[in-house]
Amino acid sequence: MERLARIWLLVIQMVIGYEWLRGGLEKLETGGRFVQALPQTLARFAEKNPYPWMKAFLTGPATANAALFGNLVQWGEVLAGLGLIAGALYLLFLAGRLNGLLRRIAGILVAIALLGGMTMNAVFGLAAGHTSPSTYGINLVMFFSQLALLGFWVGVIVERLTLVRRTA
């Protein structure tokens, strides 16, 4: 039963990873139009944003550094997607074949990808969630799904650390 639960968690992780990867690649495929249009997008998000501090962030530092933020978003989505997919495939097919150090490294890399995804969901949800119930909802679902997965991966990392300490 525990194995089946792990498999389903990893399937969910792969779906989230696919969504991040697809979103990032779509932005990259625009040939820079995503980054170029970001100041207008940020202005639209700020216009009726209910959070004064987010509105100030969108119209201030985010707009002033739109190229930087645009590149961070599109590459962050690609890297989060690849990290989540690779981590799930690793745990499904290779975990038993690799030593403890490689298992810990894999767990830490997936945790970083999950934290990156959660950060992007939180920021986008706060920046654009007011524009549509579905925008707010999907970012909330993805955020908490990644939070649950992060708990799972922290367990994997700690379990591996504990196993290494017992055998050392």
Side-chain angles (χ1 to χ4, degrees), residues 25-164:
L25 290 176
E26 285 176 0
K27 288 172 180 66
L28 287 170
E29 289 171 354
T30 67
R33 286 190 306 274
F34 168 75
V35 174
Q36 291 169 354
L38 195 55
Q40 294 82 12
T41 303
L42 295 173
R44 192 173 68 248
F45 290 165
E47 189 176 325
K48 295 182 182 175
N49 194 292
Y51 308 109
W53 57 271
M54 179 55 74
K55 188 173 192 167
F57 173 74
L58 293 171
T59 58
T63 299
N65 299 290
L68 172 66
F69 280 101
N71 282 299
L72 286 174
V73 166
Q74 61 190 8
W75 286 105
E77 288 182 3
V78 168
L79 293 173
L82 289 174
L84 295 178
I85 292 168
L89 292 173
Y90 155 77
L91 202 57
L92 285 170
F93 300 112
L94 297 176
R97 298 183 190 148
L98 299 176
N99 66 37
L101 176 63
L102 291 176
R103 287 183 193 134
R104 284 192 305 264
I105 291 171
I108 291 167
L109 291 174
V110 172
I112 290 169
L114 287 165
L115 288 169
M118 290 169 61
T119 300
M120 288 185 287
N121 281 126
V123 171
F124 188 75
L126 291 167
H130 66 282
T131 63
S132 157
S134 60
T135 300
Y136 177 77
I138 193 63
N139 281 282
L140 200 60
V141 168
M142 285 183 69
F143 179 88
F144 283 106
S145 297
Q146 290 169 110
L147 182 61
L149 287 165
L150 182 61
F152 168 76
W153 277 97
V154 167
V156 168
I157 295 166
V158 170
E159 176 185 338
R160 299 303 179 202
L161 290 172
T162 303
L163 289 173
V164 170

